[in-house]
Amino acid sequence: MSSVTVRVPAKVNVQLSVGPLREDGFHDLVNVFHAVSIFDEVAAKESESITVAVTGDWADQVPVDDENLAIRAARALAKHAGRGYGADLVIRKAIPVAGGMAGGSADAAGALVACNELWGLGLPVEDLMEIAADLGSDVPFSLMGGTALGTGRGERLTELPTAGTFHWTFATAHGGLSTPRVYAECDRLRAAAMAEVPWPEPDADLVAALRAGDPHALGRRLSNDLQPAALTLRPALATTLEAGRRLGALGAIVSGSGPTCAFLAEDAAHATRLARAIPESAPTRTTTAAHGPTPGATIL
Ligand code: ATP
Protein backbone atom coordinates (compact mmCIF):
# COMPACT_ATOMS: atom_id res chain seq x y z
CA MET A 1 0.00 0.00 0.00
CA SER A 2 1.70 3.26 -1.07
CA SER A 3 -1.05 5.77 -0.18
CA VAL A 4 -4.20 5.76 1.96
CA THR A 5 -6.85 8.50 2.34
CA VAL A 6 -9.22 8.69 5.31
CA ARG A 7 -12.27 10.93 5.70
CA VAL A 8 -13.11 12.16 9.21
CA PRO A 9 -16.17 14.10 10.41
CA ALA A 10 -16.53 17.18 12.58
CA LYS A 11 -18.65 16.92 15.73
CA VAL A 12 -21.21 19.02 17.51
CA ASN A 13 -22.04 18.50 21.18
CA VAL A 14 -25.80 18.27 21.55
CA GLN A 15 -25.35 18.11 25.32
CA LEU A 16 -22.23 19.37 27.09
CA SER A 17 -22.59 19.32 30.87
CA VAL A 18 -19.52 20.40 32.78
CA GLY A 19 -19.13 19.14 36.36
CA PRO A 20 -17.25 20.86 39.17
CA LEU A 21 -13.54 21.59 38.70
CA ARG A 22 -11.52 18.53 39.84
CA GLU A 23 -8.29 18.64 41.83
CA ASP A 24 -6.36 17.59 38.69
CA GLY A 25 -7.67 20.65 36.84
CA PHE A 26 -10.07 18.68 34.63
CA HIS A 27 -13.86 18.51 34.83
CA ASP A 28 -16.11 15.48 34.75
CA LEU A 29 -18.28 15.86 31.69
CA VAL A 30 -21.43 14.49 30.21
CA ASN A 31 -20.88 15.01 26.56
CA VAL A 32 -23.28 13.85 23.86
CA PHE A 33 -21.26 13.91 20.63
CA HIS A 34 -22.90 13.89 17.21
CA ALA A 35 -20.78 13.50 14.04
CA VAL A 36 -21.77 15.78 11.14
CA SER A 37 -21.01 15.93 7.43
CA ILE A 38 -18.20 18.48 7.46
CA PHE A 39 -15.11 16.41 6.71
CA ASP A 40 -11.35 16.68 6.79
CA GLU A 41 -9.37 14.23 4.65
CA VAL A 42 -6.07 12.82 5.86
CA ALA A 43 -3.88 11.16 3.21
CA ALA A 44 -0.79 9.16 4.21
CA LYS A 45 1.99 8.22 1.79
CA GLU A 46 5.03 6.02 2.37
CA SER A 47 8.04 8.01 3.53
CA GLU A 48 11.23 7.82 5.60
CA SER A 49 10.00 10.18 8.33
CA ILE A 50 6.69 11.57 9.59
CA THR A 51 5.74 14.94 8.03
CA VAL A 52 2.53 16.91 7.54
CA ALA A 53 1.24 19.45 5.03
CA VAL A 54 -2.16 21.15 5.19
CA THR A 55 -4.33 22.36 2.31
CA GLY A 56 -7.82 23.82 1.97
CA ASP A 57 -9.79 26.35 4.01
CA TRP A 58 -8.17 27.23 7.32
CA ALA A 59 -4.79 25.74 6.28
CA ASP A 60 -2.87 28.83 7.34
CA GLN A 61 -4.06 28.40 10.95
CA VAL A 62 -2.83 24.85 11.42
CA PRO A 63 0.68 24.13 12.75
CA VAL A 64 2.81 21.82 10.57
CA ASP A 65 5.37 20.99 13.25
CA ASP A 66 5.27 18.57 16.18
CA GLU A 67 2.26 20.48 17.55
CA ASN A 68 0.09 19.07 14.77
CA LEU A 69 -2.21 16.44 16.24
CA ALA A 70 -1.98 14.24 13.13
CA ILE A 71 1.81 14.04 13.51
CA ARG A 72 1.43 13.27 17.21
CA ALA A 73 -1.04 10.51 16.36
CA ALA A 74 1.23 8.95 13.72
CA ARG A 75 4.17 9.06 16.16
CA ALA A 76 2.10 7.46 18.92
CA LEU A 77 1.02 4.69 16.55
CA ALA A 78 4.61 4.03 15.38
CA LYS A 79 5.71 3.89 19.02
CA HIS A 80 2.90 1.46 19.85
CA ALA A 81 4.01 -0.72 16.91
CA GLY A 82 7.60 -0.50 18.19
CA ARG A 83 9.14 0.59 14.87
CA GLY A 84 10.39 3.78 13.24
CA TYR A 85 7.72 3.96 10.55
CA GLY A 86 7.40 7.08 8.35
CA ALA A 87 4.52 8.75 6.51
CA ASP A 88 3.97 11.99 4.61
CA LEU A 89 0.55 13.17 5.80
CA VAL A 90 -1.54 15.64 3.81
CA ILE A 91 -4.59 17.11 5.55
CA ARG A 92 -7.35 18.64 3.42
CA LYS A 93 -8.96 20.89 5.99
CA ALA A 94 -12.65 21.77 5.90
CA ILE A 95 -13.43 21.61 9.64
CA PRO A 96 -13.06 25.08 11.21
CA VAL A 97 -9.85 25.47 13.24
CA ALA A 98 -10.28 26.25 16.95
CA GLY A 99 -14.00 26.29 16.18
CA GLY A 100 -15.34 23.86 18.78
CA MET A 101 -15.87 21.12 16.19
CA ALA A 102 -12.91 18.89 17.12
CA GLY A 103 -10.98 19.47 13.89
CA GLY A 104 -7.59 18.67 15.36
CA SER A 105 -9.00 15.53 16.98
CA ALA A 106 -10.50 14.51 13.64
CA ASP A 107 -7.10 14.78 11.98
CA ALA A 108 -5.50 12.73 14.76
CA ALA A 109 -8.13 10.01 14.28
CA GLY A 110 -7.64 10.16 10.50
CA ALA A 111 -3.88 9.78 10.86
CA LEU A 112 -4.30 6.75 13.16
CA VAL A 113 -6.57 4.95 10.69
CA ALA A 114 -4.50 5.95 7.63
CA CYS A 115 -1.15 4.90 9.13
CA ASN A 116 -2.57 1.67 10.57
CA GLU A 117 -3.51 0.77 6.98
CA LEU A 118 -0.41 2.23 5.26
CA TRP A 119 1.97 0.40 7.59
CA GLY A 120 -0.06 -2.83 7.40
CA LEU A 121 -0.33 -2.99 11.20
CA GLY A 122 -3.86 -4.36 11.23
CA LEU A 123 -4.49 -3.09 14.77
CA PRO A 124 -8.09 -3.59 15.91
CA VAL A 125 -10.21 -0.53 16.58
CA GLU A 126 -9.99 -1.17 20.37
CA ASP A 127 -6.20 -0.57 20.21
CA LEU A 128 -6.67 2.55 18.12
CA MET A 129 -9.26 3.81 20.63
CA GLU A 130 -6.72 3.44 23.46
CA ILE A 131 -4.04 5.36 21.59
CA ALA A 132 -6.70 7.93 20.65
CA ALA A 133 -7.71 8.50 24.29
CA ASP A 134 -4.10 9.36 25.17
CA LEU A 135 -3.98 11.94 22.37
CA GLY A 136 -7.03 13.93 23.51
CA SER A 137 -10.48 13.43 24.96
CA ASP A 138 -12.30 14.09 21.64
CA VAL A 139 -10.11 11.78 19.51
CA PRO A 140 -11.89 8.47 20.34
CA PHE A 141 -15.21 9.93 19.20
CA SER A 142 -13.67 11.11 15.91
CA LEU A 143 -12.70 7.47 15.28
CA MET A 144 -16.11 6.16 16.23
CA GLY A 145 -18.52 8.73 14.73
CA GLY A 146 -22.31 8.39 14.90
CA THR A 147 -23.82 9.72 18.13
CA ALA A 148 -22.34 8.81 21.50
CA LEU A 149 -22.46 9.59 25.18
CA GLY A 150 -19.04 10.51 26.54
CA THR A 151 -18.31 10.51 30.26
CA GLY A 152 -15.19 11.04 32.35
CA ARG A 153 -13.23 13.66 30.45
CA GLY A 154 -15.41 12.75 27.44
CA GLU A 155 -13.30 9.77 26.40
CA ARG A 156 -15.44 6.91 27.82
CA LEU A 157 -17.94 6.39 25.03
CA THR A 158 -21.25 4.59 24.68
CA GLU A 159 -23.00 4.59 21.32
CA LEU A 160 -26.46 6.18 21.40
CA PRO A 161 -29.20 4.96 19.04
CA THR A 162 -30.71 7.55 16.69
CA ALA A 163 -33.41 7.45 14.02
CA GLY A 164 -33.23 9.19 10.67
CA THR A 165 -31.10 12.20 9.83
CA PHE A 166 -30.81 15.54 11.62
CA HIS A 167 -30.19 18.64 9.50
CA TRP A 168 -27.90 21.37 10.76
CA THR A 169 -26.46 24.72 9.79
CA PHE A 170 -23.06 25.77 11.15
CA ALA A 171 -21.92 29.38 11.27
CA THR A 172 -18.20 29.91 11.76
CA ALA A 173 -16.71 33.08 13.18
CA HIS A 174 -13.63 35.13 12.40
CA GLY A 175 -10.91 33.99 14.82
CA GLY A 176 -10.99 30.90 17.02
CA LEU A 177 -11.50 30.42 20.75
CA SER A 178 -9.01 28.46 22.83
CA THR A 179 -10.71 25.52 24.56
CA PRO A 180 -8.67 25.86 27.82
CA ARG A 181 -9.49 29.57 27.92
CA VAL A 182 -13.23 28.87 27.60
CA TYR A 183 -13.09 26.30 30.44
CA ALA A 184 -11.17 28.82 32.59
CA GLU A 185 -13.82 31.46 31.88
CA CYS A 186 -16.55 28.95 32.77
CA ASP A 187 -14.80 28.32 36.14
CA ARG A 188 -14.43 32.06 36.70
CA LEU A 189 -18.13 32.79 36.00
CA ARG A 190 -19.18 29.95 38.29
CA ALA A 191 -16.90 31.11 41.11
CA ALA A 192 -18.27 34.65 40.76
CA ALA A 193 -21.86 33.37 40.92
CA MET A 194 -20.98 31.16 43.94
CA ALA A 195 -23.57 28.66 42.67
CA GLU A 196 -23.37 24.95 43.50
CA VAL A 197 -22.25 23.09 40.35
CA PRO A 198 -24.36 19.95 39.93
CA TRP A 199 -22.89 16.56 39.03
CA PRO A 200 -23.38 16.17 35.25
CA GLU A 201 -26.05 13.67 34.17
CA PRO A 202 -27.25 12.58 30.71
CA ASP A 203 -30.49 14.34 29.72
CA ALA A 204 -33.06 11.54 29.32
CA ASP A 205 -35.34 13.73 27.15
CA LEU A 206 -32.46 14.52 24.79
CA VAL A 207 -31.50 10.84 24.53
CA ALA A 208 -35.16 10.01 23.78
CA ALA A 209 -35.34 12.75 21.10
CA LEU A 210 -32.26 11.29 19.39
CA ARG A 211 -33.70 7.78 19.53
CA ALA A 212 -37.03 8.98 18.09
CA GLY A 213 -35.36 11.08 15.36
CA ASP A 214 -37.45 14.05 16.54
CA PRO A 215 -35.69 17.33 15.63
CA HIS A 216 -38.29 19.50 17.44
CA ALA A 217 -37.72 17.67 20.73
CA LEU A 218 -33.95 17.63 20.19
CA GLY A 219 -33.95 21.37 19.43
CA ARG A 220 -35.66 22.08 22.75
CA ARG A 221 -33.10 19.99 24.70
CA LEU A 222 -29.80 21.22 23.16
CA SER A 223 -27.57 22.40 26.01
CA ASN A 224 -24.01 23.57 26.47
CA ASP A 225 -22.57 24.60 29.86
CA LEU A 226 -19.66 26.31 28.06
CA GLN A 227 -21.99 28.66 26.18
CA PRO A 228 -22.12 31.45 28.81
CA ALA A 229 -18.31 31.50 28.88
CA ALA A 230 -18.04 31.53 25.07
CA LEU A 231 -20.59 34.40 24.94
CA THR A 232 -18.69 36.40 27.56
CA LEU A 233 -15.47 36.02 25.58
CA ARG A 234 -17.20 36.65 22.24
CA PRO A 235 -20.41 38.71 22.80
CA ALA A 236 -21.12 38.90 19.03
CA LEU A 237 -22.07 35.19 19.11
CA ALA A 238 -25.34 36.18 20.83
CA THR A 239 -26.31 38.04 17.63
CA THR A 240 -25.55 34.95 15.53
CA LEU A 241 -27.62 32.65 17.78
CA GLU A 242 -30.50 35.15 17.76
CA ALA A 243 -30.40 35.42 13.95
CA GLY A 244 -30.87 31.65 13.64
CA ARG A 245 -33.70 31.58 16.18
CA ARG A 246 -35.54 34.36 14.34
CA LEU A 247 -35.25 32.33 11.14
CA GLY A 248 -37.01 29.40 12.79
CA ALA A 249 -34.08 27.21 13.89
CA LEU A 250 -35.43 24.46 16.18
CA GLY A 251 -32.42 24.97 18.45
CA ALA A 252 -29.42 27.30 18.44
CA ILE A 253 -26.27 26.60 20.41
CA VAL A 254 -22.56 27.34 20.57
CA SER A 255 -20.72 24.19 19.40
CA GLY A 256 -18.44 22.91 22.18
CA SER A 257 -16.09 25.69 23.25
CA GLY A 258 -17.10 27.78 20.21
CA PRO A 259 -17.04 30.09 18.43
CA THR A 260 -18.88 28.04 15.76
CA CYS A 261 -22.67 28.21 16.27
CA ALA A 262 -24.89 25.23 15.45
CA PHE A 263 -28.53 25.49 14.36
CA LEU A 264 -30.90 22.55 14.14
CA ALA A 265 -33.16 22.78 11.10
CA GLU A 266 -36.52 21.24 10.15
CA ASP A 267 -35.09 19.54 7.06
CA ALA A 268 -32.35 19.91 4.43
CA ALA A 269 -34.11 22.80 2.65
CA HIS A 270 -34.50 24.72 5.92
CA ALA A 271 -30.80 24.15 6.71
CA THR A 272 -29.87 25.62 3.32
CA ARG A 273 -32.16 28.63 3.91
CA LEU A 274 -30.58 29.22 7.34
CA ALA A 275 -27.10 29.03 5.81
CA ARG A 276 -28.07 31.71 3.25
CA ALA A 277 -29.97 34.02 5.59
CA ILE A 278 -27.98 34.04 8.86
CA PRO A 279 -25.04 36.05 7.40
CA GLU A 280 -27.47 38.81 6.36
CA SER A 281 -27.92 39.81 10.01
CA ALA A 282 -24.98 38.29 11.91
CA PRO A 283 -21.18 38.59 11.73
CA THR A 284 -20.18 35.15 10.41
CA ARG A 285 -17.16 33.96 8.44
CA THR A 286 -18.87 31.07 6.63
CA THR A 287 -22.12 29.14 6.93
CA THR A 288 -22.57 25.51 5.93
CA ALA A 289 -25.54 23.17 5.85
CA ALA A 290 -24.71 19.65 7.03
CA HIS A 291 -26.36 16.54 8.42
CA GLY A 292 -25.74 13.94 11.06
CA PRO A 293 -25.06 11.40 12.29
CA THR A 294 -22.21 10.37 9.97
CA PRO A 295 -19.67 7.55 10.38
CA GLY A 296 -16.31 8.15 12.06
CA ALA A 297 -12.89 7.93 10.38
CA THR A 298 -13.41 5.98 7.14
CA ILE A 299 -10.88 4.80 4.55
CA LEU A 300 -11.85 6.11 1.09
P1 ATP B 1 -12.33 20.96 20.33
O1 ATP B 1 -13.69 21.10 19.71
O2 ATP B 1 -11.85 19.52 20.34
O3 ATP B 1 -12.18 21.65 21.62
P2 ATP B 1 -11.47 22.86 18.40
O4 ATP B 1 -12.27 22.41 17.22
O5 ATP B 1 -11.99 24.05 19.14
O6 ATP B 1 -11.29 21.65 19.37
P3 ATP B 1 -9.09 22.51 16.88
O7 ATP B 1 -9.53 22.87 15.50
O8 ATP B 1 -8.95 21.07 17.19
O9 ATP B 1 -10.03 23.19 17.96
O10 ATP B 1 -7.74 23.30 17.12
C1 ATP B 1 -7.25 23.68 18.39
C2 ATP B 1 -5.78 24.08 18.20
O11 ATP B 1 -5.04 22.87 17.94
C3 ATP B 1 -5.54 24.98 17.01
O12 ATP B 1 -5.49 26.32 17.40
C4 ATP B 1 -4.21 24.51 16.44
O13 ATP B 1 -3.16 25.36 16.84
C5 ATP B 1 -3.95 23.14 17.07
N1 ATP B 1 -3.86 22.03 16.10
C6 ATP B 1 -2.96 21.05 16.12
N2 ATP B 1 -3.14 20.18 15.12
C7 ATP B 1 -4.20 20.59 14.44
C8 ATP B 1 -4.88 20.09 13.29
N3 ATP B 1 -4.48 19.00 12.65
N4 ATP B 1 -5.96 20.76 12.88
C9 ATP B 1 -6.37 21.87 13.54
N5 ATP B 1 -5.75 22.41 14.60
C10 ATP B 1 -4.67 21.77 15.06
Side-chain angles (χ1 to χ4, degrees), residues 16-292:
L16 177 44
S17 300
V18 180
L21 183 61
R22 300 191 320 205
E23 297 226 322
D24 63 3
F26 289 102
H27 301 81
D28 283 294
L29 304 176
V30 162
N31 206 336
V32 179
F33 295 104
H34 180 69
V36 295
S37 61
I38 299 174
F39 299 104
D40 280 1
E41 281 181 18
V42 182
K45 255 200 222 132
E46 275 175 11
S47 175
E48 299 281 296
S49 56
I50 296 175
T51 67
V52 72
V54 185
T55 67
D57 300 346
W58 314 94
D60 57 335
Q61 292 169 48
V62 180
V64 289
D65 56 13
D66 289 0
E67 289 291 300
N68 191 292
L69 282 167
I71 290 213
R72 284 172 37 202
R75 292 236 165 91
L77 185 67
K79 190 168 169 215
H80 180 94
R83 282 198 32 204
Y85 291 103
D88 288 333
L89 303 170
V90 178
I91 298 170
R92 199 159 83 186
K93 196 101 198 114
I95 304 175
V97 175
M101 298 195 78
S105 302
D107 298 343
L112 286 179
V113 171
C115 292
N116 187 39
E117 184 77 8
L118 181 76
W119 298 336
L121 301 177
L123 291 180
V125 72
E126 297 76 40
D127 289 22
L128 297 183
M129 288 291 257
E130 263 179 40
I131 301 168
D134 285 341
L135 290 163
S137 44
D138 288 350
V139 185
F141 177 72
S142 299
L143 274 180
M144 178 177 168
T147 304
L149 171 66
T151 52
R153 284 198 282 129
E155 79 289 5
R156 286 200 299 271
L157 292 173
T158 317
E159 193 180 341
L160 288 177
T162 60
T165 299
F166 294 99
H167 295 277
W168 296 90
T169 302
F170 294 94
T172 65
H174 292 279
L177 272 176
S178 139
T179 304
R181 184 148 176 247
V182 175
Y183 273 96
E185 182 64 15
C186 173
D187 293 335
R188 195 189 67 76
L189 290 174
R190 285 172 164 185
M194 289 195 300
E196 183 84 0
V197 179
W199 184 253
E201 299 285 356
D203 175 351
D205 290 342
L206 175 120
V207 171
L210 288 165
R211 193 185 309 115
D214 181 343
H216 289 266
L218 180 61
R220 286 193 294 273
R221 300 307 303 179
L222 296 175
S223 72
N224 179 1
D225 282 355
L226 293 179
Q227 184 160 308
L231 290 178
T232 308
L233 294 171
R234 202 62 77 75
L237 296 181
T239 309
T240 308
L241 292 174
E242 188 45 37
R245 287 192 196 106
R246 259 191 288 113
L247 292 159
L250 305 177
I253 198 170
V254 170
S255 176
S257 54
T260 304
C261 292
F263 304 90
L264 190 58
E266 296 262 0
D267 52 27
H270 185 212
T272 305
R273 283 202 305 279
L274 289 173
R276 281 212 201 99
I278 288 170
E280 288 169 10
S281 56
T284 60
R285 173 174 161 164
T286 56
T287 50
T288 314
H291 59 86

